[in-house]
Amino acid sequence: MTAPRAFDPDALAASLPRPRGRLTPMRPLADLSWLRVGGPAELFFQPADAEDLRAVLAAAPEGLQVTPLGVCSNLIIRDGGLPGLSVRLGRAFAQVRVEGERVIAGAAALDSHVARAAAAAGVSGLEFLRTIPGAVGGAVRMNAGCYGAYMADVVEEIAAIDRAGRLVRLSAAEIGFAYRSSDLPPDLIVIEATLRGAPGDRARIEALMQEYVARREASQPVRARSCGSTFRNPAGYSSTGRADDVHDMKAWRLIDQAGCRGLRRGGAMISDKHANFLLNVGGATAADLEGLGEEVRKRVFENSGVRLEWEIARIGVPAPPGAAGEGIAGEGAAGQGAPGAPAARVNGS
């Protein structure tokens, strides 16, 4: 039986300040997900700008869950959908500007666009962003990286809006970066990041980005519906691409050794090309994808004794039995990240 909702979406929308952006009750999310799965958001908010976002969050009732959504390139949204208020930043948060060796990027700016902007200005050190799917806000939150470089290496500061609608600024040290994670609270909405590079030769920067693109296309199923790497490497670092890179404790190797390459459940499949890629090959549900991932974790543990940790975030609630995708299945949501937050500098009220 479906649990009662803590808030009625239509009544909640009517009670909030009229935003200049869009506030939509029960907005389907599957079309926004790279995996094309997931139930609706009880209340879906696309703010016009930072002040619009602050006003709505400040007025939102205590206890209302707030979930920031980027371009959903690293998410499995469960079939029952997302309770509470889901926030997706749009064009107003996608601006990129270069000031000397610093690149100031809105949280909705695509990682690849940031890399290109830095290259055009002769700023090196951000080339790794060229092949990372998604946008800056998500890249900060999960400390995205590849080929031996991470967001932790280049982030100087971020601006964000907290659950109370306050503007906060956090230094890199306050973000608490770790391998594929950070200490940012799950309801903190990153709106901008200041990244620091170094002077470089534009031609060399662009050549390195093209090399990264070629490597990715050669080794990963880039044309398939996936969210990139499914599990974190137990080695504790991403592949460097160097000749001396050791693969013994890489997730793909452990998955392969457990016989999971090509494994399927419903429309979900472990890629034949790269064993750490979980694909929707047609008609998969979120339950198919998450269930297949859990089966892989089980087989890897039985084979090697290693417990793989998810790199893809799983958020929302499952659909009630026999009603996948029909609506919100409960009040809470799993997979929202660890609680707690670093100390923040608060600007405004």
Side-chain angles (χ1 to χ4, degrees):
M1 182 175 177
T2 301
R5 296 191 184 114
F7 301 93
D8 176 80
D10 292 298
L12 177 60
S15 73
L16 294 172
R18 183 181 294 275
R20 286 174 287 110
R22 269 188 165 173
L23 196 58
T24 310
M26 298 305 291
R27 201 282 191 196
L29 295 176
D31 63 313
L32 301 180
S33 164
W34 282 35
L35 288 167
R36 294 296 188 267
V37 298
E42 276 192 318
L43 202 55
F44 185 74
F45 182 35
Q46 298 165 281
D49 53 31
E51 288 307 311
D52 199 28
L53 175 58
R54 292 182 66 184
V56 168
L57 289 179
E62 185 177 350
L64 178 71
Q65 178 176 302
V66 173
T67 303
L69 293 176
V71 295
C72 302
S73 63
N74 192 54
L75 286 178
I76 293 175
I77 301 170
R78 294 190 174 106
D79 298 307
L82 297 182
L85 181 70
S86 298
V87 178
R88 181 177 166 101
L89 305 183
R91 189 172 301 173
F93 299 88
Q95 304 304 308
V96 180
R97 66 184 190 276
V98 181
E99 298 178 356
E101 298 169 13
R102 289 180 174 85
V103 178
I104 297 90
L110 295 179
D111 299 325
S112 59
H113 291 180
V114 174
R116 290 192 187 103
V123 176
S124 67
L126 305 182
E127 296 90 345
F128 72 98
L129 288 172
R130 176 65 182 82
T131 61
I132 294 180
V136 167
V140 169
R141 180 171 292 280
M142 69 169 292
N143 190 20
C146 62
Y147 304 125
Y150 302 88
M151 289 297 283
D153 301 325
V154 298
V155 170
E156 277 196 347
E157 182 183 75
I158 65 168
I161 308 295
D162 71 9
R163 176 62 182 78
R166 298 171 298 188
L167 175 66
V168 301
R169 296 189 183 278
L170 298 172
S171 68
E174 292 171 313
I175 294 169
F177 284 120
Y179 172 59
R180 290 294 186 265
S181 67
S182 70
D183 288 337
L184 295 178
D187 55 5
L188 185 74
I189 300 172
V190 178
I191 61 171
E192 185 180 82
T194 299
L195 314 177
R196 187 178 184 94
D201 178 75
R202 178 174 178 175
R204 290 184 180 179
I205 294 169
E206 291 179 344
L208 182 56
M209 291 195 302
Q210 287 307 309
E211 179 186 332
Y212 287 166
V213 170
R215 284 190 198 177
R216 183 168 177 257
E217 290 183 347
S219 63
Q220 300 175 9
V222 296
R223 309 284 179 241
R225 291 201 186 283
S226 81
C227 282
S229 296
T230 304
F231 301 105
R232 301 175 185 179
N233 286 323
Y237 59 90
S238 61
S239 295
T240 65
R242 297 194 302 263
D244 62 351
D245 200 357
V246 177
H247 298 284
D248 293 351
M249 290 299 286
K250 298 292 178 63
W252 73 264
R253 173 65 65 84
L254 294 167
I255 294 167
D256 216 10
Q257 290 173 339
C260 297
R261 188 181 291 264
L263 195 65
R264 299 184 67 142
R265 174 179 294 203
M269 175 181 172
I270 299 300
S271 171
D272 283 323
K273 188 171 187 178
H274 191 303
N276 197 24
F277 275 61
L278 180 61
L279 312 179
N280 181 352
V281 293
T285 63
D288 289 336
L289 291 158
E290 189 170 10
L292 180 56
E294 288 300 325
E295 176 65 19
V296 168
R297 294 182 71 230
K298 175 176 176 289
R299 294 192 185 194
V300 167
F301 180 71
E302 290 173 347
N303 184 68
S304 65
V306 175
R307 294 188 186 277
L308 293 178
E309 293 184 25
W310 283 88
E311 182 169 318
I312 296 174
R314 290 97 55 232
I315 64 174
V317 293
E326 291 187 7
I328 302 297
E331 295 181 33
Q336 294 294 321
R345 302 196 301 277
V346 178
N347 300 323
S349 57

